[in-house]
Amino acid sequence: MAAAQGRLSDGADGDDTKEGDKDASSAAPPPFRAAVDALRSARLRPQIEIEPTRAPQRLAPHAYALEAAVVDGDQDLADGRLVLLHDPDGHDAWHGTFRLVTLVRAELEPEMAADPLLPEVCWSWLTGALQARGLTYGEPSGTVTRASSHYFGGLSERPAASQIEIRASWTPREGLGGVPDTAAHLAAWCDLLAQIAGLPPAGPGDASVVTLPQRRGPQSR
């Protein structure tokens, strides 16, 4: 399995990596540094390529971001971004000092995208991934969006495309020293990515990943 700071996807930018690492410097509070160190050292299944990226600067005093793609050779099956936010003074809406924010996307067959139960199922994949890892969290919120693209004129030869997008945030429970188990939350998030990509379980006896039926084939990178 690759470490969270291991392989880089195509188009990696050294400046983005430095930007993503900026708030993990010695000037950041110790709980935030410990949480970021745990993200960097997490061990993930090899189909997931992950790298630091530019973190938002206005959502919290400290932020660290990762972007990931589920890959099959040179083809992307799904992609997403996970942002760790930290406010040492706490945040009323979070009910804590840390917050995780995510965006996950994948292409679908139009028939699957038209399923009226799809949004509820996708949201259950997120909460189920967290619960399967034994994680406690609070104040979950988010949206599941289905989008369709139809092409005309010079692009008319392209087939119609449908995409599912999950945007969500939740407050991880803080443990010893006020530090949440960010490595476990990252692993759960990667379980969600693998699930929406339609990957089989990571190993024998691992039922945490369920294949998404009728998903669109891999997309060229």
Side-chain angles (χ1 to χ4, degrees), residues 135-207:
L135 295 169
T136 303
Y137 60 94
E139 307 305 320
S141 64
T143 62
V144 177
T145 304
R146 291 174 290 190
S148 297
S149 298
H150 300 267
Y151 300 95
F152 302 93
L155 301 177
S156 60
E157 293 184 359
R158 292 188 183 182
S162 297
Q163 184 182 73
I164 191 74
E165 179 181 278
I166 303 172
R167 293 179 180 267
S169 63
W170 64 95
T171 299
R173 184 183 67 179
E174 297 171 14
L176 186 64
V179 182
D181 188 352
T182 50
H185 281 271
L186 174 59
W189 180 71
C190 288
D191 290 342
L192 170 65
L193 269 176
Q195 193 162 16
I196 200 171
L199 292 187
D206 182 358

Side-chain angles (χ1 to χ4, degrees), residues 107-149:
E107 297 290 329
L108 300 175
E109 291 292 346
E111 295 81 4
M112 185 62 185
D115 187 338
L117 296 180
L118 183 63
E120 288 79 6
V121 170
C122 288
W123 183 256
S124 72
W125 288 344
L126 170 60
T127 58
L130 294 168
Q131 293 166 4
R133 295 278 176 176
L135 295 169
T136 303
Y137 60 94
E139 307 305 320
S141 64
T143 62
V144 177
T145 304
R146 291 174 290 190
S148 297
S149 298

Side-chain angles (χ1 to χ4, degrees), residues 50-102:
I50 193 164
E51 63 176 336
T53 189
R54 189 179 301 276
Q57 300 299 303
R58 298 181 180 179
L59 298 180
H62 306 281
Y64 184 79
L66 296 167
E67 61 182 14
V70 182
V71 298
D72 178 14
D74 62 348
Q75 297 174 316
D76 286 352
L77 302 177
D79 62 76
R81 174 174 293 205
L82 183 68
V83 180
L84 175 68
L85 304 176
H86 179 55
D87 186 340
D89 295 330
H91 193 292
D92 291 342
W94 302 352
H95 290 182
T97 63
F98 283 91
R99 187 77 171 171
L100 285 162
V101 182
T102 186

